[in-house]
Amino acid sequence: MSTLGLIGSGNIGSTLARLGTAAGLEVVLSNSRGPETLAGLVAELGPQARAATPAEAAAAGDWVVVTVPLKNYRQVPVAPLAGKVVLDTNNYYPERDGRIPELDAEETTTSGLLQHHLPDSQVVKAFNNIFFKHLAALARPAGASDRSALPISGDDPEAKAAATRLLDLLGYDAVDAGTLADSWRFQRDTPAYVVPYARNQQGPGIDMSDPGASAGAASVRAALAAATRPAG
């Protein structure tokens, strides 16, 4: 049985844990506060889930998802992730993360920062562009007519193929959005960020009560193509 390791177990992490156990994966959860704080979630998920430290979750995972506030990315353990596919859900929120000059100058991307921190891992950007409630609600079996797609980006083709397999298991198709340098196309406030999965689309954001609507590969590709970088 394959294992999904989670470094961070907040809204996105706990949603992926639920999707993972539903798909038959073993799930190892972790957070910054200690395994004991995850006892309730582990009990909800059942015997396929257990709580651990971030290093233990990193070591256990066939895929490892890093889903921590961006300001904490340097705390992600390096050695146990060597040689592994690491899926990064990070978005940049300066009001939470503080100013990060490299991102403000668009010299790199959020996943580029994590890749630099994890030089022996293969980082793939994924799961950052969908509201966690929609991530839970829109998962569908392979072949379903209303299956949604999520963009991924990465520099290693085999890592992107592995990420695509994980998305498929969790209920989503994948759209290849290019390299990590291209991942700005589905970062915060771009056309591919959260809005494609909203039933009632409104500007660059969504209403938190929105029930969600499926977004296939064609609509996701169109949203990616419509992304523009700020002038200057």
Side-chain angles (χ1 to χ4, degrees):
M1 185 180 294
S2 297
T3 299
L4 176 63
L6 293 163
I7 299 177
S9 298
N11 289 332
I12 290 289
S14 59
T15 300
L16 291 173
R18 292 182 180 99
L19 293 176
T21 54
L25 298 176
E26 296 278 358
V27 174
V28 182
L29 302 110
S30 69
N31 63 16
S32 61
R33 296 178 293 126
E36 66 280 358
T37 65
L38 295 167
L41 179 57
V42 168
E44 173 197 331
L45 294 170
Q48 290 168 221
R50 64 182 174 91
T53 66
E56 290 166 342
D62 296 297
W63 305 271
V64 180
V65 177
V66 170
T67 181
V68 300
L70 180 61
K71 63 183 178 181
N72 297 332
Y73 80 91
R74 291 185 182 89
Q75 298 174 21
V76 173
V78 176
L81 290 172
K84 298 207 173 195
V85 175
V86 177
L87 291 91
D88 172 42
T89 78
N90 269 320
N91 288 302
Y92 178 33
Y93 295 95
E95 61 273 22
R96 176 197 66 189
D97 302 315
R99 305 305 313 195
I100 300 176
E102 308 98 295
L103 297 181
D104 291 338
E106 297 195 49
E107 295 170 353
T108 188
T109 62
T110 56
S111 294
L113 290 175
L114 185 63
Q115 181 66 83
H116 183 74
H117 176 67
L118 301 173
D120 298 318
S121 305
Q122 292 77 47
V123 173
V124 177
K125 187 73 165 186
F127 303 119
N128 70 296
N129 77 313
I130 185 169
F131 182 40
F132 76 96
K133 291 183 179 178
H134 293 166
L135 179 62
L138 297 178
R140 299 288 187 275
S145 60
D146 61 344
R147 201 182 210 208
S148 293
L150 297 172
I152 63 171
S153 63
D155 296 336
D156 184 277
E158 291 185 5
K160 285 198 283 189
T164 297
R165 289 194 294 274
L166 176 62
L167 264 66
D168 183 51
L169 286 169
L170 299 182
Y172 288 88
D173 293 334
V175 169
D176 190 336
T179 66
L180 290 182
D182 298 317
S183 63
W184 65 269
R185 289 189 173 276
F186 55 105
Q187 67 188 12
R188 181 186 179 187
D189 296 334
T190 60
Y193 183 78
V194 304
V195 174
Y197 311 97
R199 182 173 299 176
N200 303 307
Q201 298 183 356
Q202 48 184 33
I206 60 170
D207 188 296
M208 297 297 100
S209 64
D210 188 282
S214 62
S219 64
V220 171
R221 290 190 184 99
L224 292 167
T228 58
R229 284 188 138 158

